[in-house]
Amino acid sequence: MNAPLRKGEIAAQNSTLHLFALFHLNIAFSSIEEERRGEVIARCYWPLLDLAQAHGPIGIEITGYTLEEIARRDPEWIGRARALIASGRIEPIGSGYAQIIGPLVPARVTQANLRIGNELYRKLLGVVPSLALINEQAYSAGLVGLYLDAGYRAILMDWDNPGAEHPEWSAETRYLPQRAIGADGRSIGLLWTSTVAFQKLQRLAHGDIGLEQYLGHLRDKRGENARVLCAYASDAEVFDFRPGRFRSEEALDGESEWKRLANAFASLKSEFGMIAPSAALAFESKLAHRDLRLETAAVPVPVKKQRKYNLSRWAVTGRDDIGVNAACQRIYESLVARDANDAAWKELCFLWSSDFRTHITQTRWTAFCGRLAAAEQKYSLAPAGGEGQGEGASQSRSLSNIPRVAAPPHPTLSPCGGEGYQGRFVEVETPSLKVCIDRRRGLAIESLQFAGDAKPVIGGLPHGHFDDIALQADWYTGDCVFEAPGEHKVTDLEWCEAQVAKATNGDTIVSARIETPKGPIDKSIRFYAGEPRVEFDIAFHWSDWGKGSLRLGHITLLPDAFEWPSLCLTTHNGGK
């Protein structure tokens, strides 16, 4: 006689967990040399088509650039992919022409990227996807409207980080289709991907865990009601191929990883049921299709996996990311001014790809730098009286727009706090603002009041201003801090001799050289006369930086200047 089932076992038997999966194809993967791309197609992309043929429907998310490269190197792959799409074994998922970090680029770049990508999908695959995977899972509300305008009806985004920031969401939220609210108030369909789920499948394929252990993990995801879960949403290039990105990469053990995947998908299909990604959007529940704001004030740009994958990874942590992004920005401004054609926008999308900002090889980096320099020379706006000369010309052009004046022999300084030029504070006043500068703290702004405001808006807060011990330090505006492991902090918060000059347009420029243990820092601050604007220009004359972190451009908002009930912060983050 069988033992009676407990309540939880009854619920598990009566519940259904539907699975879908998609593979991310990006032949521009940062650590793969170009001469190995044919190997990637043979070892990764062809077996994926076999997997879809046997166990589809499977989603394939692919950049337009990758499609072009495959078509050039192995056009038969394109023909078979088209046939599998037509038979419903493959569902194409959109990405754009290149893998671009949307929150870090102007909206027009993302628009061009999606538009050019869609044209290539139509040309090479015969269909335009209706679902898109957010590039590198770096989401912002500003992107929603761009994807809607490009014709997409839904996006896929990682659950873990948005879910962690929204404890008010029901636990069932992660297993059902939802809608993401954009910055313009419109919403788009939303399917969740899962970091843990895709890593589990990778571990299975790599031989780290067995099939029964993997299936047990998925069985634990069953609930009392029907659920849908993304079993995989990551790279295709990590199976039966090693990109060489990490020293810790598992060596190939001789057994086909695609064969392990085929066995796993056969089990998933028989036990759970595999559906196309778009079919997951059709799930109905009282907890499904709710309008959600994925972002929060603390995390305005949710990302995939751990927090180390935040925007800083592509903005400042790669090889000369700041220089590369600045060059791309200059090209962008030129394309806008020139009303450039799609060929120019396509090149910019390629150059702004995230794959040049992480673990890029030396050979590819050298080639990229040459292509970036050539694009800037080709597209940069010509300064008056000459043709564009690339990056140097762009820099000279921007500097030439700044009125240059020599400091007067006897600068006119107005004392702040009753002290003269030799005292600690210097006051500057223009038609648009009034500012008090602290010479004792390296030209830090003690207070800045814009015309029309009753109180200063930004400035400094003294030690002990806050009751919380974690905040009981001095707070500055305009200072720099360099921290290296095991060493004292290096800052520009030192006495300095201020020089004040009046530009011909009425702007006031305050400058100083600040001595530090690592070398001098030249700081120049421009206070605009015709608009409420302040610009900093900071140069570090340091011969040996060593390893460390530099933080600069601090701004301290003065609490008493704001009406707290209406206080808010808005950013573009890639949107319009």
Side-chain angles (χ1 to χ4, degrees):
M1 183 175 178
N2 294 331
L5 292 171
R6 294 189 296 272
K7 180 179 179 181
E9 294 173 325
I10 296 173
Q13 286 194 353
N14 294 335
S15 67
T16 303
L17 179 66
H18 297 272
L19 302 178
F20 69 93
L22 64 104
F23 287 77
H24 167 65
L25 278 63
N26 179 23
I27 207 165
F29 201 117
S30 60
S31 57
I32 299 177
E33 298 287 10
E34 289 193 29
E35 58 265 24
R36 299 192 70 189
R37 289 178 176 176
E39 184 182 355
V40 172
I41 296 170
R43 296 180 66 91
C44 304
Y45 297 169
W46 273 106
L48 176 58
L49 297 187
D50 293 336
L51 183 70
Q53 174 74 57
H55 304 292
I58 290 175
I60 290 184
E61 184 252 346
I62 188 168
T63 63
Y65 176 80
T66 299
L67 274 176
E68 283 187 322
E69 278 289 287
I70 297 174
R72 185 171 68 87
R73 295 170 181 268
D74 194 343
E76 289 185 14
W77 189 96
I78 298 293
R80 187 168 180 214
R82 288 179 68 117
L84 290 171
I85 291 171
S87 66
R89 312 308 288 177
I90 286 177
E91 178 173 6
I93 308 293
S95 176
Y97 175 69
Q99 187 170 252
I100 288 179
I101 310 303
L104 285 178
V105 302
R108 286 189 63 174
V109 176
T110 297
Q111 288 175 314
N113 193 49
L114 296 176
R115 181 180 69 253
I116 295 169
N118 285 345
E119 291 170 357
L120 286 167
Y121 297 140
R122 183 181 294 107
K123 174 184 176 182
L124 295 175
L125 297 180
V127 64
V128 176
S130 62
L131 275 63
L133 182 73
I134 297 294
N135 288 166
E136 294 290 5
Q137 301 284 264
Y139 169 92
S140 74
L143 299 180
V144 169
L146 305 183
Y147 279 87
L148 284 169
D149 291 343
Y152 289 101
R153 67 187 181 102
I155 58 173
L156 296 105
M157 173 59 194
D158 186 82
W159 157 266
D160 295 283
N161 284 289
E165 294 299 317
H166 289 280
E168 74 278 9
W169 289 352
S170 164
E172 287 298 302
T173 302
R174 68 184 301 177
Y175 298 110
L176 295 167
Q178 307 293 343
R179 297 193 65 82
I181 304 175
D184 62 2
R186 293 184 291 168
S187 64
I188 193 169
L190 170 66
L191 288 175
W192 299 112
T193 62
S194 169
T195 294
V196 173
F198 90 67
Q199 290 174 338
K200 286 287 187 184
L201 188 60
Q202 285 182 349
R203 293 185 181 191
L204 167 71
H206 293 166
D208 293 337
I209 62 175
L211 178 58
E212 193 58 32
Q213 182 180 351
Y214 171 69
L215 294 175
H217 169 74
L218 293 177
R219 290 169 187 144
D220 289 341
K221 304 303 178 185
R222 288 173 167 147
E224 295 183 358
N225 300 303
R227 291 175 166 181
V228 62
L229 176 69
C230 182
Y232 193 75
S234 192
D235 303 326
E237 299 86 1
V238 297
F239 302 118
D240 280 349
F241 181 82
R242 295 296 181 264
R245 179 175 171 183
F246 300 115
R247 295 191 187 122
S248 59
E249 282 182 344
E250 294 280 348
L252 293 171
D253 61 7
E255 183 177 351
S256 170
E257 293 172 349
W258 285 104
K259 183 177 180 180
R260 289 178 182 151
L261 288 173
N263 291 336
F265 271 74
S267 297
L268 296 180
K269 198 169 186 178
S270 64
E271 182 168 345
F272 300 99
M274 297 292 295
I275 61 176
S278 59
L281 284 173
F283 268 65
E284 294 294 341
S285 166
K286 64 180 180 180
L287 294 176
H289 307 292
R290 291 176 297 160
D291 286 340
L292 304 177
R293 293 195 180 277
L294 277 59
E295 73 284 355
T296 64
V299 184
V301 181
V303 295
K304 65 181 180 181
K305 300 194 285 190
Q306 299 87 359
R307 291 288 173 82
K308 66 182 180 181
Y309 292 96
N310 60 37
L311 284 188
S312 297
R313 184 177 189 230
W314 295 281
V316 296
T317 63
R319 195 182 299 197
D320 196 22
D321 276 353
I322 294 177
V324 169
N325 290 333
C328 287
Q329 180 71 25
R330 290 192 292 269
I331 296 171
Y332 162 75
E333 292 170 356
S334 298
L335 299 190
V336 171
R338 292 173 182 268
D339 192 22
N341 59 25
D342 268 4
W345 285 103
K346 186 178 181 181
E347 180 68 6
L348 178 58
C349 291
F350 171 83
L351 295 171
W352 229 323
S353 165
S354 64
D355 298 292
F356 302 118
R357 287 155 176 76
T358 46
H359 300 266
I360 189 170
T361 66
Q362 181 60 47
T363 301
R364 290 187 61 197
W365 171 252
T366 301
F368 170 74
C369 289
R371 188 162 173 175
L372 179 65
E376 188 163 16
Q377 183 170 3
K378 179 177 181 179
Y379 296 117
S380 64
L381 291 172
E387 294 298 321
Q389 300 295 321
E391 183 174 346
S394 179
Q395 292 175 334
S396 300
R397 181 179 68 255
S398 62
L399 291 175
S400 68
N401 293 334
I402 301 176
R404 299 167 185 239
V405 294
H410 301 288
T412 302
L413 301 174
S414 175
C416 176
E419 300 174 277
Y421 178 71
Q422 297 303 319
R424 176 170 177 172
F425 298 99
V426 175
E427 185 177 273
V428 173
E429 188 168 358
T430 74
S432 64
L433 51 81
K434 180 179 182 180
V435 63
C436 185
I437 305 166
D438 190 346
R439 295 175 57 238
R440 170 67 180 84
R441 292 289 185 257
L443 300 188
I445 293 178
E446 177 70 10
S447 66
L448 189 150
Q449 182 174 345
F450 293 111
D453 289 339
K455 297 179 180 180
V457 176
I458 66 173
L461 294 173
H463 171 254
H465 176 89
F466 296 105
D467 292 333
D468 188 338
I469 187 63
L471 304 176
Q472 286 183 1
D474 292 285
W475 296 82
Y476 300 100
T477 288
D479 62 311
C480 311
V481 179
F482 181 79
E483 296 182 80
E487 297 182 12
H488 293 293
K489 290 182 182 180
V490 178
T491 77
D492 61 353
L493 299 169
E494 304 292 343
W495 271 105
C496 62
E497 295 296 328
Q499 302 295 319
V500 179
K502 186 74 73 172
T504 55
N505 64 354
D507 293 354
T508 300
I509 305 166
V510 181
S511 58
R513 167 160 286 199
I514 302 145
E515 300 295 335
T516 77
K518 295 186 76 69
I521 298 175
D522 285 338
K523 180 182 290 187
S524 177
I525 314 175
R526 175 178 286 263
F527 302 98
Y528 278 66
E531 59 180 312
R533 177 171 176 170
V534 180
E535 287 185 354
F536 284 82
D537 191 355
I538 306 170
F540 295 80
H541 301 286
W542 295 0
S543 59
D544 180 19
W545 283 79
K547 293 183 177 180
S549 62
L550 174 67
R551 292 177 171 85
L552 67 166
H554 296 130
I555 297 176
T556 297
L557 303 178
L558 302 182
D560 293 339
F562 297 93
E563 295 178 357
W564 287 93
S566 60
L567 180 63
C568 67
L569 174 70
T570 62
T571 85
H572 286 284
N573 284 339
K576 292 182 180 180

